[in-house]
Amino acid sequence: MKALSVMELRPHLKTFSLNLEKELHSLWDILAKIKTKKINEVSPEEMMNFQYRLVKVLNEFSRYYDILSNTRKSLEKHKKKIGFKEFLKQKKEVNELISFVNFQLVVCRSLGDAFVYTFYALDREYLNKHLEQQPQSLILPKGIGGLGEMEFVKNFKIIDGHLVLYHGITNILRIGDFTLFNIKTAKVAAVGELKSGKPDESSLNLNLTVIGPKSREMKFTKKDKTGEAEQQTTTFNFPNKERYEKQVKAMSDSFDYLTNKNPETPISEKDAKLFSKPKWDIMAELAAEPVDKIIAYHQVDRGLILSRFAYKGETMFDRFMNYTDTMAQHDKDELTEWFMKIFNREIDFSVAFGQVHFSPELRIQQAVGSKPLFWNSIKIDVLKKIYFGEIIFFTMYNVGYLFDEMKQRGYTLEDSVKHKMKGFTKKDTDMHYFVGGIPYYVDMITRYLQDESSVIQSIERVAAAGYPTVIGTGVGLKVQVNIFMD
């Protein structure tokens, strides 16, 4: 790409992103066929090439991000020469374009989430291990490392009967670089960390370290079944051996849950269903509202308002850039009227805002225990509008109802020094409970549309989970619940 002035970047990025958006729509069609049980209409080639097609789009946006980032650095360096007023104008323009590219990276990875969940659906407990880690950078690595990962995705789709899943196309796979999925057992067999080296101009060395539990042990033949590559036994020179060793340890530790020898208390099927079914049908009703009604509302619970916001524009670029102007046109009086529906003079008034799928910062929100929005019971046409930025859903929730209900059940809100967090505490004659993770439970209501009553019941069940084990012992017990939301 030739050097462009700041003012030339906007029209260039608009054209650039439109071509990539067409590819994203094509990839969406493959996912839609899988979701709507039309998998027979998806060719093996489409399935096998899905990841490489997506990673190419991700790489294009990642490299455009690099260009914009360098442009911003150049502005900072020459701001005295440019003049402060002009500097602020150009910096604002570049920041807006960077925000759009960031959003496109998020959209790409959300499609990757939907794809890899097809294979992780029966391994939800290990998926939770991934979700407990910090998200990776949205931008694909550049240089030798990025080249190595691209080439590996392109050339190694199956290894000894194991499908290779690339974590770089997702938000949710955060341990290692690749997953090796056993096609026969439909389970994760191992995760792998890839390191790349370039000993000379014509060679690229790849070193894949694979770690998995003994119970799912996989054995490599000298040559993979496709005959594409042969294993090398030469020593690989790691550029940062200490970092590599930490990554390998993290991969190894992630499978500890399979051999956890801590005693577990069986949970009945009734108690295992902690949460309610989200009100996805109401989302469909709101999505069907005319788009000229910028915001549509629905009260879904005594303290919760669900709203649908419609963007203007034919393309993702236009919709994103029109966001601020569109927001300014909404009916503030109507918003206030709905806002008052969750007001109650008898309880403390504290409002939490949430968004479904995308966060207000336009990042993917994926709580531990959840699955990608794509695989929930939502109509495919509504999902596409959400994923491609035609509409967003946001919520307003009066948290005072939650706090008041817990108070009536004997709990108080405490900022615990011991536990270094806020939580609900309750003291009985023979037991002292402390339940942390309040933001998680609020998210269940505001982001995942769970019933407030169901969340409260879940909190109480978590609090009581360790009671049979510790009663009369005088010994404390920390209970961590592995939650799956369906």
Side-chain angles (χ1 to χ4, degrees), residues 183-196:
I183 297 173
K184 290 183 179 180
T185 64
K187 289 284 188 179
V188 172
V191 289
E193 183 74 26
L194 185 74
K195 297 299 178 186
S196 306

Side-chain angles (χ1 to χ4, degrees), residues 217-348:
E217 186 174 2
M218 60 177 295
K219 296 180 179 179
F220 293 101
T221 58
K222 188 176 181 182
K223 209 170 186 180
D224 78 328
K225 291 183 179 180
T226 62
E228 290 178 342
E230 188 173 327
Q231 289 186 21
Q232 300 291 327
T233 58
T234 56
T235 302
F236 187 86
N237 184 25
F238 294 99
N240 189 332
K241 192 171 183 180
E242 184 179 351
R243 181 170 180 268
Y244 165 75
E245 289 173 349
K246 288 181 180 179
Q247 291 169 327
V248 169
K249 185 178 186 303
M251 290 193 298
S252 178
D253 292 346
S254 68
F255 288 102
D256 284 351
Y257 75 97
L258 290 172
T259 56
N260 190 350
K261 297 180 180 180
N262 293 330
E264 296 182 358
T265 304
I267 301 176
S268 69
E269 184 179 350
K270 179 181 178 182
D271 288 338
K273 296 177 180 178
L274 295 178
F275 294 120
S276 58
K277 289 291 183 183
K279 297 174 177 59
W280 306 126
D281 53 335
I282 297 175
M283 285 176 61
E285 293 173 14
L286 288 171
E289 292 278 353
V291 292
D292 56 353
K293 184 175 176 57
I294 297 171
I295 303 183
Y297 303 91
H298 196 295
Q299 186 170 3
V300 298
D301 209 340
R302 62 176 182 172
L304 184 69
I305 302 294
L306 175 63
S307 310
R308 180 236 65 200
F309 176 85
Y311 289 85
K312 288 183 177 181
E314 292 298 319
T315 67
M316 294 176 74
F317 183 89
D318 291 335
R319 289 192 290 271
F320 185 90
M321 293 303 174
N322 289 335
Y323 173 73
T324 303
D325 294 338
T326 307
M327 272 297 285
Q329 298 174 34
H330 77 269
D331 191 331
K332 294 182 176 62
D333 291 335
E334 183 183 12
L335 176 61
T336 302
E337 181 182 333
W338 280 93
F339 193 78
M340 293 305 295
K341 291 179 184 292
I342 59 176
F343 177 77
N344 187 332
R345 295 181 184 276
E346 298 178 0
I347 64 173
D348 292 334

Side-chain angles (χ1 to χ4, degrees), residues 103 106-107 280 282-291 293-298 305-312 316 319-320 322-324 326-328 330 353-365 373 378 381-396 446-447 449:
F103 177 58
V106 170
V107 172
W280 306 126
I282 297 175
M283 285 176 61
E285 293 173 14
L286 288 171
E289 292 278 353
V291 292
K293 184 175 176 57
I294 297 171
I295 303 183
Y297 303 91
H298 196 295
I305 302 294
L306 175 63
S307 310
R308 180 236 65 200
F309 176 85
Y311 289 85
K312 288 183 177 181
M316 294 176 74
R319 289 192 290 271
F320 185 90
N322 289 335
Y323 173 73
T324 303
T326 307
M327 272 297 285
H330 77 269
F353 295 89
Q355 281 188 199
V356 178
H357 190 51
F358 293 125
S359 73
E361 298 78 28
L362 296 178
R363 292 289 189 271
I364 292 295
Q365 304 180 110
L373 184 72
I378 307 172
D381 60 322
V382 176
L383 282 169
K384 188 171 185 180
K385 289 179 180 180
I386 297 171
Y387 274 68
F388 284 85
E390 293 183 39
I391 58 176
I392 58 172
F393 289 92
F394 65 92
T395 58
M396 300 177 291
T446 59
R447 286 164 42 185
L449 306 184

